[in-house]
Structures are given as C-alpha cells and as structure tokens.
Amino acid sequence: MNITKSVVSERERALIGGDYRSYHAQATRRIHTIRKRLGATTPKGRKFAPRSAVTTQDIAKNLEWAQLLLVSAERAWADAMAMKSLQSPENTQKPMQGSTKRQIVSRLRRAITYATNLAEVLQDQSATKASNQDVLEAKAYLFLLKGGLDFERNRWRSCVTNYSFARQVYTALAAHAQTDVYRDLLDGTIDPSIRYAAYQEKLPRTKAVSDIAIENFPSSEDVSRKQILSTDAKAFETSAEKAAAQAEGVGDLPTTIEWRGRRVKLEDASISQALGTASVREEALSDTFASYQKGSTSAKDLATAYDDIINARQDAADATKTAIDELLAEGIDQGDARIQGLQITRTAVNYAVVEWRVGRNRVLCGDQDGLTFESVKPKQQTKPRKDGTVKAPKEEPSGRKMARLRERVALYDSILQNLDAVKQLPGVIADTAFVEELDGKRNYFKALKCLAIGRSHAVNGHVKNALALYSRAEELSKHSKSVSKSTSDMPRLDITKSQLEGMQRHLTSLTIQYHALADLTNNTANPQQASQGKAYAPPLLERLHLNQYDDNVDLNNIVNYPPKLQPIPMKPLFFDLAWDYIKYPGQSQETKAAASESTSAAMQEKKTEEQQKKKGWFGFGR
C-alpha cells in the first residue's frame, strides 16, 4: 500500500509550490475523485450525509477505500497545520487565541479518527491481504498523529510515548529500505519532537533519542513489538549495547590522531571506539561509491551511506567534548597537556565531521558539484493516442526547475555554514595558511551558489540579473584554490585542479553568452538607444501600431529619408493565374480538367445571358 511513501510524497509535492492551504485543496480534490470511482458520493440535494466507517469487507473489495481514509486524515491534518501557521505568534506577533487552539485540536482529532479506522481494518490481514509492513506503517501513522495532538495540548509524557512508537517502527523499516522517506520523517519531525518533549519532562539531555524511544515504547503494544523485531532484530538495542557489539567487530582501535602535523595520543576509550567504527563504515562507503561510479547506485543511496560515517564521527566529537568538560569540572588548568591534547583532538574530529557533511551535500548537488543543470525529461506516456501515435514528452516546467535550484542553493548554504563553523574550532584562526585554504574552498562553493541563483534568474528571463551573478561567480572562481590532484577519492572537502579549471571554463562561457544576450536585449528593447549604436532601429512611422510610449522621440528617425527601395507584402496576381496550371496535392488531373471545363462553361453561359438581357435603350427592354 506504501502508506508512508504516499503521505510524504503528496506533502512534498503540495508544499514545494504552495502551503498547507494548497495541500488541503489538493486532498479535497483527491477525495472527490476517489469517491466518484467508488460510487460513494453525497446524494444530490443533500449538503451533508453521515459517513459510515470503512469496513474490512470494503477494503477486501477495493483497496481505494484505504486510500480514501488516508487522504481524509491528511486533509484534516493539513487544515490544522494551515490554521497553526497562519495564527502562529511569529506571523501575527500576538499569542494564539483559545478558539484557534480548539479548532486545531478538533481537526487533529478528526485526522486521528480516520487513521484509527485505517489501522483497525488492516488488522485482519487474511481479508485485506495487508502485509506486516502495511500494518506497522498504518499504526505508526496513527501514533504520529497522536503525538502531534499531544504536542499541541502540552501533554509531554504521552507525546514522548506516541512518538517513541512511531520512531521504533520507522527506524526498523529504514534499516532495510532503499529510500530516504523514513529517514526524512525521523530527522525532520519525530526526533526533534521527542527531544523537545523530553526536555519539558526534564529527562537527561545527554541521553540519546534512541534510548528514550526504547524506554518509552508503549507496553500495551506487544504484538507490534514482535512485528518490529521480525522486521529488524536490532531495533530495541540501546546505544550501549550497540557500542559493545561494534567494539567487538572493529578490531584494532586507533591510539593516535594527527592534525596539521601534530600527533596526539588518544587516552579516552570512547573516542577511540567511535573513530574505529567510523573507519569501518568508511570502508563500506568505498564499496558503495564504486557501485555509484558504475551507475548501479543512486545519489540518494550514496548520500544515505554518508550518514553512518557522519553519525560515528559526531559520536567521537561528542565524546571529546564530554572528556574536556569532565577535566574542566575537576579544576584542571587550560594549559594542562591533557586538555591541550583533547583540544587538538576536538578540532580534528569536528573538521572530519564537516568534511563528510560537505561530501554528502556535494553528492546531492549532482554531477560536478551541480556545475551543470539539465532539464529532467518526464517519463513518456505508455498509453498511445487514439490514432496510434505516442505523445511527445513535455518539457520540464519552470516551477520544477526553480524548485530544484532552490534545493541546490540550500545545500550550498549548508556547506558555507559548515566552513564558517570550522573557523570557530580551537587553534584554527591562528593557522594563517589553513584559513587561506578554507577561504579558497569557500569561494569555490560560493561561486556555485551564485551560479545556481543566476540560473534561476535565467529561467525567469531576467538576463541582466543572470549576467551579474555569472560574472560574480567567475570572479569568485578565480580566487578559489585546489588542494587535491586525485579525482578517484570519495567527495569530501577537497577540490581538485580539474574541477576548478572546469568550473572556470564553464563560467567564462556563460558570462560571454549572457553578455551578448544582455547587449541584444538592450539594443532591441530601446529603439532610441539602438539608433545610436549599430543595431537597426525602425522609424517612428513603422512603430505607430505597436502602442508604445517614448519619453524622448528621436526626431531624426521619424521616416526613412531619403526613401529606400523596400519590399511591400502583397498577393501577386500570378497566384490567381496559376490555378489552372498547378496540380495541388490530393487533386488528380481528370478532376482538375473537369473543374476547368465546368468553370469555362459557366462563364460562357453567363456571358450569353447578359447579351440576351440587353434590349432597347440602356438595356431596359421594350
């Protein structure tokens, strides 16, 4: 049934070009379409008819009944989110009224009603033919809505419990899925909500979200717990158990770490363990990157593989910060050798986190870090027309292009923010050579950002704005620096010489192209300026029908004087005379001859009648 994928894809499709109101309208249209297909529309003459709950027999006959329940829940949820966004204190600068809060709660309860009906009817798997994944996704969606309702009503304990169930289900499904749908829900909605609700409940902030979810999993959902374990046997392992299992498989742990020519001994076991786990995952990523280069793995799957390394590196950074805080709490001076070594370790591991984050974003930007931008061709329709011909694929609309460019700009912004964060690390600002290297890399990605924004102006037809941004990107690329010569390594923060030279050539060609387009636009848009240059400016007499207003009319260009020999559009008489001598397509020679004979006979008969009518003076007859 793809419940989660359907919900996430419909939300993204509606929210990219609009807001929650547009999503509500889209869901309403889908409900009407599904009801018409199912024959469950409201009778004529009745504005409201009570709806009976969907039964297992209905879904057994047609799975669109389950889709109807899902879309109905999404419409109610979109209505609640629309009211929340419009009446939020950030937009109105006023606290939200109680009536608005009650309306939001009412809409969320309505969405929960539909989701409950869907989860209940799918329990009978023999009748509905639903799989364990469908049942888990339906219950996770129900608990996700319940968690949202508890969040709005400030019921933090219940909020943590409901979101914990949803998190365990989506984490188990994401472990073996080839999509980022579950990961996006976890990172964007569930994990931040659990963390905030746990903070309101005054739970320890150092405890991982996964441990909070395992501890607060609903005790009444034993059946669902078994289904989750059948999907992922390690779903309920705590972070301590996972760390112990990883330590057994890592083997030799690193004992030292090197940063800018300085080698520091690792005395904290948790840091060594996290770095060892990261090295193991880097080896797995190298295999994924090899398959990506062959074309058997998509960019999203490769970016997902980056997340495992980022998490392991982030664990090492958190362990380093914890070790520094513990030493400072004991009253040890900042100049102590142990703290100095941990500060160097902290800079090294945090820089490694930034490197892998930047590499992940570079993969998501596309080939050559998003230097090229080609239109995505839609899938050709397999259903032919009535005459047997196949419809030609339509060109990608400008709205889709703008959405893709906005995503790239967001990725470039994230890269630039990470590079700025590196300068805040201990000991970085004093290293002049390293800061210059960071500035060179920053100019490279800033040039790519200007290129993406310039393309958005080019899509909208703003040639001058695109030219200015392309010129700025070309200037930034000249101040960029390449620090690597190899091109076979996985994308991280290093910029190769070939990448930099390719970007400079591409930006130079774009700047020249749009400089010419801007010059043509200026010469053709203002005839008065064009008359002073080399472009042809038509005289005022030839522009009277254009309904254009000129502030300063060029009195020297009213008419062409001295007059020049110019062609005049007209219909030559030869076209009428050639009718009798030209054979047109679809017309045989016999048909042509018969038409000519009938025409000449009709003309002769008409001439004879006119001669017979002329009698007496002035042809009046007697």
Side-chain angles (χ1 to χ4, degrees):
M1 295 182 184
N2 294 326
I3 295 174
T4 307
K5 184 178 179 181
S6 175
V7 169
V8 174
S9 61
E10 291 298 327
R11 289 182 183 180
E12 288 181 352
R13 187 167 69 90
L15 297 179
I16 281 178
D19 52 4
Y20 292 106
R21 282 298 173 195
S22 61
Y23 184 39
H24 179 270
Q26 173 184 314
T28 302
R29 291 191 296 269
R30 289 189 62 201
I31 289 173
H32 182 67
T33 303
I34 294 174
R35 285 194 175 278
K36 284 183 66 177
R37 286 201 297 264
L38 294 174
T41 57
T42 304
K44 291 184 178 180
R46 299 180 63 181
K47 292 184 178 180
F48 175 77
R51 308 283 187 187
S52 57
V54 177
T55 61
T56 306
Q57 290 75 15
D58 294 333
I59 295 181
K61 294 178 182 178
N62 196 336
L63 287 177
E64 284 193 332
W65 284 103
Q67 192 69 19
L68 178 63
L69 289 175
L70 190 62
V71 179
S72 301
E74 280 295 288
R75 180 174 66 171
W77 176 85
D79 196 9
M81 293 300 103
M83 286 188 290
K84 182 179 178 180
S85 61
L86 289 176
Q87 300 297 328
S88 62
E90 290 81 2
N91 294 331
T92 60
Q93 306 300 324
K94 297 178 181 178
M96 187 180 294
Q97 297 180 358
S99 58
T100 305
K101 292 182 180 180
R102 287 192 293 272
Q103 286 182 326
I104 293 173
V105 170
S106 175
R107 298 301 186 277
L108 289 176
R109 283 176 175 170
R110 183 179 301 175
I112 290 172
T113 301
Y114 290 116
T116 304
N117 191 1
L118 177 63
E120 289 177 352
V121 295
L122 291 182
Q123 293 295 328
D124 191 357
Q125 296 179 258
S126 59
T128 59
K129 305 297 178 61
S131 61
N132 289 335
Q133 181 175 347
D134 296 332
V135 175
L136 284 177
E137 287 188 0
K139 296 200 73 173
Y141 178 68
L142 171 61
F143 278 86
L144 187 66
L145 293 177
K146 287 183 177 180
L149 177 61
D150 293 330
F151 195 94
E152 295 297 329
R153 302 179 67 183
N154 298 338
R155 295 182 175 180
W156 306 118
R157 174 59 63 180
S158 178
C159 178
V160 171
T161 302
N162 290 321
Y163 274 127
S164 297
F165 181 91
R167 191 187 191 282
Q168 290 303 109
V169 172
Y170 291 137
T171 303
L173 294 176
H176 305 285
Q178 299 295 327
T179 179
D180 292 338
V181 173
Y182 307 111
R183 181 61 58 187
D184 293 340
L185 270 176
L186 292 171
D187 296 340
T189 304
I190 297 176
D191 286 356
S193 301
I194 292 177
R195 178 61 69 188
Y196 184 79
Y199 169 75
Q200 295 292 337
E201 281 292 307
K202 299 181 180 181
L203 296 178
R205 302 181 66 178
T206 57
K207 184 176 292 186
V209 177
S210 58
D211 295 342
I212 296 175
I214 292 173
E215 292 177 2
N216 293 275
F217 189 84
S219 58
S220 59
E221 297 293 336
D222 293 334
V223 178
S224 299
R225 188 186 185 94
K226 294 179 181 178
Q227 291 177 341
I228 294 172
L229 288 174
S230 64
T231 304
D232 184 14
K234 300 180 180 179
F236 289 90
E237 286 186 0
T238 61
S239 58
E241 295 172 350
K242 291 181 180 179
Q246 289 174 357
E248 295 177 358
V250 168
D252 296 335
L253 297 177
T255 57
T256 59
I257 188 171
E258 187 175 356
W259 169 252
R260 304 287 294 176
R262 298 182 181 181
R263 187 177 296 274
V264 179
K265 185 178 180 180
L266 296 175
E267 297 180 355
D268 196 323
S270 59
I271 302 175
S272 301
Q273 183 179 341
L275 293 177
T277 304
S279 62
V280 172
R281 293 179 179 177
E282 287 175 15
E283 295 176 359
L285 178 62
S286 62
D287 299 335
T288 308
F289 182 71
S291 62
Y292 168 74
Q293 289 181 321
K294 295 177 182 178
S296 57
T297 302
S298 63
K300 288 187 176 180
D301 295 337
L302 180 60
T304 304
Y306 270 81
D307 291 337
D308 297 334
I309 301 177
I310 294 171
N311 294 333
R313 292 284 180 178
Q314 188 62 50
D315 292 340
D318 295 339
T320 306
K321 185 178 182 302
T322 303
I324 294 174
D325 293 340
E326 290 176 354
L327 290 178
L328 292 176
E330 294 176 3
I332 298 177
D333 187 50
Q334 289 277 359
D336 189 81
R338 289 176 293 176
I339 293 185
Q340 291 296 318
L342 286 173
Q343 293 288 8
I344 296 174
T345 305
R346 179 185 178 187
T347 303
V349 295
N350 278 283
Y351 183 74
V353 172
V354 170
E355 275 191 319
W356 290 107
R357 283 178 179 172
V358 171
R360 178 184 182 275
N361 291 340
R362 291 176 72 177
V363 169
L364 293 175
C365 286
D367 296 335
Q368 303 178 11
D369 298 333
L371 183 64
T372 58
F373 185 75
E374 298 178 355
S375 299
V376 177
K377 295 182 180 180
K379 295 181 180 179
Q380 197 170 11
Q381 294 185 1
T382 56
K383 186 177 180 181
R385 294 175 177 173
K386 293 182 179 180
D387 55 357
T389 60
V390 181
K391 282 186 177 181
K394 296 181 180 179
E395 186 181 357
E396 184 183 13
S398 59
R400 292 287 182 183
K401 293 180 181 178
M402 295 294 292
R404 290 168 54 205
L405 289 171
R406 279 195 294 267
E407 291 176 359
R408 285 193 182 182
V409 171
L411 292 172
Y412 294 138
D413 283 333
S414 177
I415 292 174
L416 294 174
Q417 290 174 4
N418 287 322
L419 290 177
D420 292 338
V422 173
K423 295 182 180 181
Q424 306 298 326
L425 296 176
V428 171
I429 200 65
D431 193 344
T432 307
F434 185 61
V435 171
E436 290 180 357
E437 181 182 322
L438 286 176
D439 291 337
K441 295 176 181 178
R442 194 178 190 280
N443 289 332
Y444 175 80
F445 292 107
K446 194 172 182 181
L448 290 174
K449 178 184 175 182
C450 292
L451 174 62
I453 299 175
R455 283 196 173 116
S456 65
H457 286 283
V459 169
N460 291 329
H462 302 155
V463 179
K464 295 181 181 179
N465 297 344
L467 173 61
L469 287 162
Y470 291 156
S471 178
R472 175 60 176 163
E474 184 183 10
E475 181 182 354
L476 289 170
S477 66
K478 294 178 181 178
H479 294 86
S480 303
K481 293 182 180 180
S482 60
V483 296
S484 178
K485 295 182 180 179
S486 64
T487 58
S488 59
D489 294 338
M490 293 173 288
R492 288 164 67 181
L493 193 50
D494 294 339
I495 302 168
T496 61
K497 186 177 181 181
S498 60
Q499 288 175 340
L500 184 57
E501 291 176 351
M503 183 181 72
Q504 291 175 350
R505 289 194 300 268
H506 187 73
L507 290 174
T508 301
S509 62
L510 275 178
T511 304
I512 295 173
Q513 176 187 357
Y514 275 81
H515 191 279
L517 289 174
D519 195 14
L520 289 174
T521 303
N522 289 337
N523 290 334
T524 55
N526 194 338
Q528 183 177 356
Q529 295 178 1
S531 63
Q532 301 174 1
K534 296 181 180 180
Y536 170 72
L540 180 62
L541 183 64
E542 297 180 6
R543 292 185 285 108
L544 293 177
H545 65 284
L546 298 178
N547 194 20
Q548 293 180 350
Y549 176 74
D550 292 335
D551 294 333
N552 298 316
V553 179
D554 187 7
L555 300 179
N556 295 325
N557 194 24
I558 298 178
V559 295
N560 281 326
Y561 187 83
K564 300 178 182 179
L565 184 63
Q566 294 180 347
I568 300 175
M570 61 178 296
K571 178 183 178 184
L573 295 176
F574 173 77
F575 286 167
D576 294 334
L577 297 177
W579 170 258
D580 296 331
Y581 304 97
I582 296 177
K583 179 182 177 182
Y584 291 91
Q587 186 180 24
S588 61
Q589 191 66 28
E590 293 77 6
T591 307
K592 186 72 177 178
S596 301
E597 292 177 1
S598 61
T599 303
S600 58
M603 292 177 62
Q604 187 66 28
E605 183 179 356
K606 184 177 180 181
K607 188 182 293 185
T608 305
E609 291 179 358
E610 289 180 353
Q611 291 178 357
Q612 291 178 359
K613 286 182 180 179
K614 291 183 179 180
K615 296 180 181 180
W617 296 95
F618 306 105
F620 291 113
R622 294 184 178 176

